[in-house]
Amino acid sequence: MKREIEVKIELTPQEFKNFTGNKGAFAFEKTYGYFKNDFSNIKEGIFPRIKYIEGKKKEVFLTVKRKSGENTQYFEREEMEVKVYEKGNLDTLRELVKSLGFNKELIFEKRRKSVFKNDITICFDKLPFGFFVELEGEPKKIEQYLKEYNLSKKPRIVKAYRHLWEDYRKSHGIAEENCMFK
């Protein structure tokens, strides 16, 4: 189990292009998030998911994230993750999680480019509803790179993309629960 500490910053399309330029390809990620029918696991702070990554190689991960408290500066959770080596197991894995009582499956897609530096991971994410950079690491490193990239004055986002999608859907009158590229 690891402690995950991160901050997201929304970028304009031009800022996103300036940061990412021609620095390698984006990997396509499809996340299957699981919820109890009454969404009570949100209040409990338990978030199981399956993540399928289609990049240089195809990878599948089973992850459970647990909320570890409220923080206005950083999004912080405990993360337990296991890599599943065969893509063929994806459908079985989806049914396995549902059989544990997490019957509500919501699908979330993004294109991600990850940069790994000095004890920090910087992810540039293109989502169906916007562009973001996510910095994950120790607070000191996050602050260092926010300053280096001139992002320290931009509003911090300290919640999951799933919650950002819910806010976006409500403000734009979108009924579709899944967040997918068309």
Side-chain angles (χ1 to χ4, degrees):
M1 178 170 33
K2 73 173 191 172
R3 196 170 119 220
E4 178 183 67
I5 302 170
E6 65 185 42
V7 168
K8 293 175 182 67
I9 304 288
E10 187 168 10
L11 301 173
T12 66
Q14 187 59 49
E15 287 172 325
F16 189 79
K17 184 178 178 183
N18 291 345
F19 279 121
T20 60
N22 294 323
K23 299 176 186 172
F26 284 80
F28 174 76
E29 292 187 14
K30 183 178 272 191
T31 300
Y32 302 87
Y34 294 93
F35 303 88
K36 294 180 180 176
N37 285 333
D38 63 359
F39 290 96
S40 61
N41 60 300
I42 292 174
K43 289 179 186 168
E44 296 165 0
I46 299 171
F47 306 98
R49 71 179 194 179
I50 298 168
K51 182 170 56 172
Y52 169 66
I53 303 172
E54 192 172 293
K56 291 179 183 176
K57 54 186 174 178
K58 293 174 175 40
E59 299 175 296
V60 178
F61 296 88
L62 172 62
T63 307
V64 174
K65 296 190 179 200
R66 287 192 302 205
K67 195 171 185 178
S68 57
E70 295 294 328
N71 189 329
T72 60
Q73 293 297 306
Y74 306 100
F75 187 45
E76 192 170 341
R77 301 178 287 189
E78 294 174 346
E79 180 182 62
M80 297 168 280
E81 187 168 75
V82 176
K83 186 174 184 178
V84 180
Y85 289 94
E86 295 181 35
K87 181 184 180 267
N89 291 337
L90 182 59
D91 291 333
T92 302
L93 197 54
R94 291 170 69 191
E95 290 306 312
L96 183 145
V97 174
K98 289 177 189 175
S99 76
L100 296 173
F102 296 93
N103 299 314
K104 181 93 171 144
E105 179 183 75
L106 299 175
I107 301 171
F108 192 88
E109 295 179 342
K110 67 182 163 206
R111 288 183 170 63
R112 172 170 273 190
K113 184 184 294 191
S114 299
V115 178
F116 305 96
K117 297 180 161 210
N118 306 327
D119 301 325
I120 191 165
T121 302
I122 303 169
C123 299
F124 296 97
D125 295 326
K126 179 179 181 181
L127 290 89
F129 62 94
F131 302 91
F132 300 85
V133 61
E134 181 180 285
L135 295 94
E136 181 181 333
E138 291 301 318
K140 185 176 178 181
K141 287 290 182 181
I142 291 172
E143 296 305 323
Q144 174 188 332
Y145 282 95
L146 285 173
K147 187 174 180 180
E148 183 177 320
Y149 289 149
N150 294 318
L151 296 171
S152 54
K153 293 186 178 165
K154 290 188 83 111
R156 291 174 184 232
I157 300 168
V158 293
K159 53 184 170 178
Y161 283 131
R162 164 67 42 206
H163 294 289
L164 293 178
W165 170 241
E166 288 304 311
D167 294 345
Y168 183 87
R169 310 182 31 235
K170 289 175 184 170
S171 68
H172 289 80
I174 298 170
E176 177 59 47
E177 289 183 295
N178 294 320
C179 180
M180 298 170 61
F181 293 103
K182 297 196 188 267

